[in-house]
Amino acid sequence: MARGEVLALERAECLFLQVALPGRPPENAGVLLLDGARDRLYLRLRRDWDSIAGEEEAEVLELLEDDLKQKAAEMGGKALVEYLEGNASNLVRVSARETVQLADFEARLNRLYRENVTPRVLEFRTHLPLYSLRAAAGGLSEEHEARAED
């Protein structure tokens, strides 16, 4: 961005997808970010369903993100959000809409996800090990065993 250039902010509506499993309070499982001007829905859901749900429920929930993306492409983002607000089940719910201002939809979606959803770390699925620069420079031989730092 050039010096003195003003960053144009856009408006979006944010909703949280929540799951309410039997015997547990509802918990945020994903973020829906509606770009009303373009009728586009950005979404990100957790992937560790088996850590919070039984086998059968987890199997269904694992298909949810792709299903919502497909429905948003077919119906449009606004129509899908309205449908969810009126027809979400006891298991899957959406929160009330909140208006947010942003400059980048993907960056804001990821930030909202990090701040409001607490999934379990799944090694090599959601997180990769962090190695030192020494390991990246060829330290993975028997003489220079590399260990993940984090």
Side-chain angles (χ1 to χ4, degrees), residues 33-52:
L33 198 56
L34 177 62
D35 177 356
R38 294 173 194 84
D39 195 21
R40 180 167 179 201
L41 185 65
Y42 296 81
L43 62 111
R44 182 171 176 197
L45 305 185
R46 65 189 306 154
R47 295 190 181 127
D48 65 332
W49 297 111
D50 57 340
S51 71
I52 65 166

Side-chain angles (χ1 to χ4, degrees), residues 131-147:
Y131 287 95
S132 70
L133 186 57
R134 179 179 174 179
L140 296 175
S141 68
E142 287 182 25
E143 295 175 7
H144 303 286
E145 184 178 329
R147 291 191 177 95

Side-chain angles (χ1 to χ4, degrees), residues 39-41 43 67-77 80:
D39 195 21
R40 180 167 179 201
L41 185 65
L43 62 111
D67 185 56
L68 290 174
K69 285 179 180 179
Q70 181 181 354
K71 283 183 173 38
E74 292 170 5
M75 302 170 65
L80 178 57

Side-chain angles (χ1 to χ4, degrees), residues 47 120-131 148 150:
R47 295 190 181 127
R120 191 182 87 208
V121 171
L122 302 174
E123 288 187 32
F124 298 103
R125 281 187 50 203
T126 61
H127 294 76
L128 296 174
L130 174 67
Y131 287 95
D150 194 11

Side-chain angles (χ1 to χ4, degrees), residues 69-123:
K69 285 179 180 179
Q70 181 181 354
K71 283 183 173 38
E74 292 170 5
M75 302 170 65
K78 290 179 194 175
L80 178 57
V81 166
E82 289 170 2
Y83 175 80
L84 290 171
E85 288 172 326
N87 297 296
S89 70
N90 289 332
L91 177 65
V92 177
R93 305 171 182 178
V94 289
S95 69
R97 298 185 197 198
E98 295 178 33
T99 301
V100 295
Q101 290 191 327
L102 49 85
D104 181 302
F105 281 88
E106 291 290 342
R108 187 60 175 267
L109 178 72
N110 290 330
R111 190 173 114 214
L112 286 165
Y113 181 86
R114 281 191 315 272
E115 292 172 353
N116 296 283
V117 181
T118 53
R120 191 182 87 208
V121 171
L122 302 174
E123 288 187 32

